[in-house]
PDB file of all heavy atoms in Angstrom:
ATOM      1  N   GLU A 196     -74.839-139.123-160.752  1.00 86.00           N
ATOM      2  CA  GLU A 196     -75.413-139.524-159.457  1.00 86.00           C
ATOM      3  C   GLU A 196     -74.498-140.512-158.737  1.00 86.00           C
ATOM      4  O   GLU A 196     -74.253-140.392-157.535  1.00 86.00           O
ATOM      5  CB  GLU A 196     -76.788-140.144-159.685  1.00 86.00           C
ATOM      6  CG  GLU A 196     -77.489-140.569-158.405  1.00 86.00           C
ATOM      7  CD  GLU A 196     -78.852-141.188-158.679  1.00 86.00           C
ATOM      8  OE1 GLU A 196     -79.316-141.124-159.832  1.00 86.00           O
ATOM      9  OE2 GLU A 196     -79.433-141.735-157.730  1.00 86.00           O
ATOM     10  N   VAL A 197     -73.964-141.476-159.471  1.00 89.00           N
ATOM     11  CA  VAL A 197     -73.075-142.480-158.871  1.00 89.00           C
ATOM     12  C   VAL A 197     -71.802-141.822-158.353  1.00 89.00           C
ATOM     13  O   VAL A 197     -71.334-142.103-157.239  1.00 89.00           O
ATOM     14  CB  VAL A 197     -72.734-143.584-159.885  1.00 89.00           C
ATOM     15  CG1 VAL A 197     -71.675-144.526-159.315  1.00 89.00           C
ATOM     16  CG2 VAL A 197     -73.982-144.367-160.255  1.00 89.00           C
ATOM     17  N   LEU A 198     -71.218-140.911-159.149  1.00 88.00           N
ATOM     18  CA  LEU A 198     -69.964-140.276-158.760  1.00 88.00           C
ATOM     19  C   LEU A 198     -70.137-139.264-157.636  1.00 88.00           C
ATOM     20  O   LEU A 198     -69.166-138.846-157.014  1.00 88.00           O
ATOM     21  CB  LEU A 198     -69.334-139.579-159.974  1.00 88.00           C
ATOM     22  CG  LEU A 198     -68.904-140.488-161.133  1.00 88.00           C
ATOM     23  CD1 LEU A 198     -68.229-139.670-162.231  1.00 88.00           C
ATOM     24  CD2 LEU A 198     -67.984-141.600-160.657  1.00 88.00           C
ATOM     25  N   SER A 199     -71.366-138.866-157.367  1.00 87.00           N
ATOM     26  CA  SER A 199     -71.606-137.883-156.316  1.00 87.00           C
ATOM     27  C   SER A 199     -71.433-138.471-154.924  1.00 87.00           C
ATOM     28  O   SER A 199     -70.905-137.815-154.024  1.00 87.00           O
ATOM     29  CB  SER A 199     -73.009-137.277-156.456  1.00 87.00           C
ATOM     30  OG  SER A 199     -73.115-136.547-157.657  1.00 87.00           O
ATOM     31  N   ASP A 200     -71.888-139.711-154.736  1.00 88.00           N
ATOM     32  CA  ASP A 200     -71.799-140.301-153.389  1.00 88.00           C
ATOM     33  C   ASP A 200     -71.194-141.698-153.377  1.00 88.00           C
ATOM     34  O   ASP A 200     -71.046-142.295-152.305  1.00 88.00           O
ATOM     35  CB  ASP A 200     -73.186-140.341-152.735  1.00 88.00           C
ATOM     36  CG  ASP A 200     -74.228-141.015-153.612  1.00 88.00           C
ATOM     37  OD1 ASP A 200     -73.852-141.696-154.591  1.00 88.00           O
ATOM     38  OD2 ASP A 200     -75.429-140.864-153.312  1.00 88.00           O
ATOM     39  N   PHE A 201     -70.839-142.235-154.544  1.00 92.00           N
ATOM     40  CA  PHE A 201     -70.217-143.546-154.642  1.00 92.00           C
ATOM     41  C   PHE A 201     -71.018-144.616-153.894  1.00 92.00           C
ATOM     42  O   PHE A 201     -70.477-145.407-153.117  1.00 92.00           O
ATOM     43  CB  PHE A 201     -68.773-143.507-154.126  1.00 92.00           C
ATOM     44  CG  PHE A 201     -67.868-142.682-154.998  1.00 92.00           C
ATOM     45  CD1 PHE A 201     -67.510-141.394-154.615  1.00 92.00           C
ATOM     46  CD2 PHE A 201     -67.394-143.181-156.193  1.00 92.00           C
ATOM     47  CE1 PHE A 201     -66.681-140.630-155.420  1.00 92.00           C
ATOM     48  CE2 PHE A 201     -66.568-142.415-157.015  1.00 92.00           C
ATOM     49  CZ  PHE A 201     -66.210-141.136-156.625  1.00 92.00           C
ATOM     50  N   THR A 202     -72.314-144.603-154.130  1.00 90.00           N
ATOM     51  CA  THR A 202     -73.192-145.638-153.590  1.00 90.00           C
ATOM     52  C   THR A 202     -74.069-146.178-154.708  1.00 90.00           C
ATOM     53  O   THR A 202     -74.378-145.473-155.671  1.00 90.00           O
ATOM     54  CB  THR A 202     -74.093-145.098-152.466  1.00 90.00           C
ATOM     55  OG1 THR A 202     -74.945-144.080-152.995  1.00 90.00           O
ATOM     56  CG2 THR A 202     -73.277-144.556-151.311  1.00 90.00           C
ATOM     57  N   ILE A 203     -74.463-147.439-154.540  1.00 89.00           N
ATOM     58  CA  ILE A 203     -75.359-148.089-155.490  1.00 89.00           C
ATOM     59  C   ILE A 203     -76.431-148.808-154.687  1.00 89.00           C
ATOM     60  O   ILE A 203     -76.123-149.540-153.731  1.00 89.00           O
ATOM     61  CB  ILE A 203     -74.602-149.093-156.386  1.00 89.00           C
ATOM     62  CG1 ILE A 203     -73.665-148.351-157.340  1.00 89.00           C
ATOM     63  CG2 ILE A 203     -75.572-149.960-157.172  1.00 89.00           C
ATOM     64  CD1 ILE A 203     -72.785-149.261-158.156  1.00 89.00           C
ATOM     65  N   SER A 204     -77.674-148.603-155.056  1.00 87.00           N
ATOM     66  CA  SER A 204     -78.780-149.261-154.370  1.00 87.00           C
ATOM     67  C   SER A 204     -79.269-150.438-155.201  1.00 87.00           C
ATOM     68  O   SER A 204     -79.630-150.286-156.369  1.00 87.00           O
ATOM     69  CB  SER A 204     -79.923-148.258-154.140  1.00 87.00           C
ATOM     70  OG  SER A 204     -81.015-148.890-153.513  1.00 87.00           O
ATOM     71  N   ILE A 205     -79.247-151.618-154.585  1.00 88.00           N
ATOM     72  CA  ILE A 205     -79.755-152.831-155.222  1.00 88.00           C
ATOM     73  C   ILE A 205     -80.992-153.262-154.438  1.00 88.00           C
ATOM     74  O   ILE A 205     -80.875-153.642-153.263  1.00 88.00           O
ATOM     75  CB  ILE A 205     -78.695-153.955-155.213  1.00 88.00           C
ATOM     76  CG1 ILE A 205     -77.429-153.476-155.928  1.00 88.00           C
ATOM     77  CG2 ILE A 205     -79.237-155.219-155.866  1.00 88.00           C
ATOM     78  CD1 ILE A 205     -76.292-154.467-155.882  1.00 88.00           C
ATOM     79  N   PRO A 206     -82.176-153.170-155.030  1.00 86.00           N
ATOM     80  CA  PRO A 206     -83.410-153.404-154.283  1.00 86.00           C
ATOM     81  C   PRO A 206     -83.406-154.710-153.493  1.00 86.00           C
ATOM     82  O   PRO A 206     -83.897-154.757-152.355  1.00 86.00           O
ATOM     83  CB  PRO A 206     -84.488-153.425-155.380  1.00 86.00           C
ATOM     84  CG  PRO A 206     -83.920-152.574-156.467  1.00 86.00           C
ATOM     85  CD  PRO A 206     -82.438-152.822-156.444  1.00 86.00           C
ATOM     86  N   GLU A 207     -82.875-155.781-154.076  1.00 85.00           N
ATOM     87  CA  GLU A 207     -82.920-157.088-153.412  1.00 85.00           C
ATOM     88  C   GLU A 207     -81.868-157.242-152.310  1.00 85.00           C
ATOM     89  O   GLU A 207     -81.998-158.110-151.448  1.00 85.00           O
ATOM     90  CB  GLU A 207     -82.701-158.209-154.440  1.00 85.00           C
ATOM     91  CG  GLU A 207     -83.760-158.268-155.538  1.00 85.00           C
ATOM     92  CD  GLU A 207     -83.472-157.327-156.686  1.00 85.00           C
ATOM     93  OE1 GLU A 207     -82.481-156.567-156.608  1.00 85.00           O
ATOM     94  OE2 GLU A 207     -84.242-157.348-157.675  1.00 85.00           O
ATOM     95  N   LEU A 208     -80.820-156.394-152.334  1.00 86.00           N
ATOM     96  CA  LEU A 208     -79.727-156.565-151.382  1.00 86.00           C
ATOM     97  C   LEU A 208     -79.499-155.360-150.481  1.00 86.00           C
ATOM     98  O   LEU A 208     -78.891-155.488-149.417  1.00 86.00           O
ATOM     99  CB  LEU A 208     -78.418-156.875-152.130  1.00 86.00           C
ATOM    100  CG  LEU A 208     -78.385-158.167-152.959  1.00 86.00           C
ATOM    101  CD1 LEU A 208     -77.048-158.285-153.692  1.00 86.00           C
ATOM    102  CD2 LEU A 208     -78.613-159.379-152.067  1.00 86.00           C
ATOM    103  N   GLY A 209     -79.932-154.182-150.902  1.00 87.00           N
ATOM    104  CA  GLY A 209     -79.692-152.982-150.115  1.00 87.00           C
ATOM    105  C   GLY A 209     -78.698-152.062-150.794  1.00 87.00           C
ATOM    106  O   GLY A 209     -78.447-152.153-151.997  1.00 87.00           O
ATOM    107  N   THR A 210     -78.092-151.177-150.017  1.00 89.00           N
ATOM    108  CA  THR A 210     -77.180-150.160-150.541  1.00 89.00           C
ATOM    109  C   THR A 210     -75.738-150.611-150.366  1.00 89.00           C
ATOM    110  O   THR A 210     -75.339-151.071-149.291  1.00 89.00           O
ATOM    111  CB  THR A 210     -77.388-148.822-149.821  1.00 89.00           C
ATOM    112  OG1 THR A 210     -78.736-148.383-150.050  1.00 89.00           O
ATOM    113  CG2 THR A 210     -76.425-147.768-150.350  1.00 89.00           C
ATOM    114  N   ILE A 211     -74.971-150.473-151.428  1.00 89.00           N
ATOM    115  CA  ILE A 211     -73.539-150.784-151.392  1.00 89.00           C
ATOM    116  C   ILE A 211     -72.786-149.470-151.525  1.00 89.00           C
ATOM    117  O   ILE A 211     -72.995-148.704-152.458  1.00 89.00           O
ATOM    118  CB  ILE A 211     -73.150-151.743-152.539  1.00 89.00           C
ATOM    119  CG1 ILE A 211     -73.851-153.093-152.335  1.00 89.00           C
ATOM    120  CG2 ILE A 211     -71.634-151.924-152.602  1.00 89.00           C
ATOM    121  CD1 ILE A 211     -73.593-154.093-153.447  1.00 89.00           C
ATOM    122  N   ARG A 212     -71.912-149.212-150.561  1.00 90.00           N
ATOM    123  CA  ARG A 212     -71.172-147.953-150.524  1.00 90.00           C
ATOM    124  C   ARG A 212     -69.672-148.247-150.549  1.00 90.00           C
ATOM    125  O   ARG A 212     -69.202-149.186-149.892  1.00 90.00           O
ATOM    126  CB  ARG A 212     -71.523-147.169-149.266  1.00 90.00           C
ATOM    127  CG  ARG A 212     -70.808-145.816-149.147  1.00 90.00           C
ATOM    128  CD  ARG A 212     -71.151-145.157-147.822  1.00 90.00           C
ATOM    129  NE  ARG A 212     -72.590-144.968-147.680  1.00 90.00           N
ATOM    130  CZ  ARG A 212     -73.250-143.913-148.156  1.00 90.00           C
ATOM    131  NH1 ARG A 212     -72.585-142.957-148.787  1.00 90.00           N
ATOM    132  NH2 ARG A 212     -74.544-143.803-147.984  1.00 90.00           N
ATOM    133  N   ALA A 213     -68.934-147.446-151.296  1.00 90.00           N
ATOM    134  CA  ALA A 213     -67.480-147.596-151.335  1.00 90.00           C
ATOM    135  C   ALA A 213     -66.881-146.947-150.096  1.00 90.00           C
ATOM    136  O   ALA A 213     -67.042-145.746-149.876  1.00 90.00           O
ATOM    137  CB  ALA A 213     -66.918-146.941-152.590  1.00 90.00           C
ATOM    138  N   HIS A 214     -66.214-147.752-149.259  1.00 89.00           N
ATOM    139  CA  HIS A 214     -65.562-147.184-148.079  1.00 89.00           C
ATOM    140  C   HIS A 214     -64.401-146.286-148.494  1.00 89.00           C
ATOM    141  O   HIS A 214     -64.161-145.236-147.885  1.00 89.00           O
ATOM    142  CB  HIS A 214     -65.069-148.309-147.169  1.00 89.00           C
ATOM    143  CG  HIS A 214     -66.171-149.167-146.633  1.00 89.00           C
ATOM    144  ND1 HIS A 214     -67.099-148.713-145.721  1.00 89.00           N
ATOM    145  CD2 HIS A 214     -66.512-150.456-146.893  1.00 89.00           C
ATOM    146  CE1 HIS A 214     -67.971-149.678-145.436  1.00 89.00           C
ATOM    147  NE2 HIS A 214     -67.628-150.749-146.136  1.00 89.00           N
ATOM    148  N   THR A 215     -63.693-146.709-149.531  1.00 90.00           N
ATOM    149  CA  THR A 215     -62.644-145.888-150.130  1.00 90.00           C
ATOM    150  C   THR A 215     -62.993-145.704-151.599  1.00 90.00           C
ATOM    151  O   THR A 215     -62.888-146.655-152.384  1.00 90.00           O
ATOM    152  CB  THR A 215     -61.259-146.555-150.011  1.00 90.00           C
ATOM    153  OG1 THR A 215     -60.974-146.807-148.641  1.00 90.00           O
ATOM    154  CG2 THR A 215     -60.183-145.660-150.613  1.00 90.00           C
ATOM    155  N   PRO A 216     -63.462-144.524-152.000  1.00 92.00           N
ATOM    156  CA  PRO A 216     -63.873-144.326-153.399  1.00 92.00           C
ATOM    157  C   PRO A 216     -62.737-144.615-154.368  1.00 92.00           C
ATOM    158  O   PRO A 216     -61.559-144.368-154.056  1.00 92.00           O
ATOM    159  CB  PRO A 216     -64.276-142.848-153.448  1.00 92.00           C
ATOM    160  CG  PRO A 216     -64.626-142.506-152.030  1.00 92.00           C
ATOM    161  CD  PRO A 216     -63.690-143.321-151.185  1.00 92.00           C
ATOM    162  N   PRO A 217     -63.052-145.141-155.528  1.00 96.00           N
ATOM    163  CA  PRO A 217     -62.007-145.388-156.522  1.00 96.00           C
ATOM    164  C   PRO A 217     -61.460-144.085-157.082  1.00 96.00           C
ATOM    165  O   PRO A 217     -62.113-143.043-157.021  1.00 96.00           O
ATOM    166  CB  PRO A 217     -62.749-146.188-157.609  1.00 96.00           C
ATOM    167  CG  PRO A 217     -64.173-145.747-157.478  1.00 96.00           C
ATOM    168  CD  PRO A 217     -64.391-145.517-156.013  1.00 96.00           C
ATOM    169  N   VAL A 218     -60.255-144.164-157.604  1.00 97.00           N
ATOM    170  CA  VAL A 218     -59.723-143.056-158.406  1.00 97.00           C
ATOM    171  C   VAL A 218     -60.449-143.101-159.744  1.00 97.00           C
ATOM    172  O   VAL A 218     -60.465-144.132-160.409  1.00 97.00           O
ATOM    173  CB  VAL A 218     -58.208-143.207-158.607  1.00 97.00           C
ATOM    174  CG1 VAL A 218     -57.685-142.125-159.550  1.00 97.00           C
ATOM    175  CG2 VAL A 218     -57.486-143.170-157.266  1.00 97.00           C
TER     176      VAL A 218
END
Side-chain angles (χ1 to χ4, degrees):
E196 181 180 351
V197 173
L198 296 183
S199 295
D200 53 15
F201 293 102
T202 62
I203 291 174
S204 178
I205 302 176
E207 299 85 356
L208 298 177
T210 299
I211 295 177
R212 181 184 302 274
H214 297 292
T215 303
V218 175

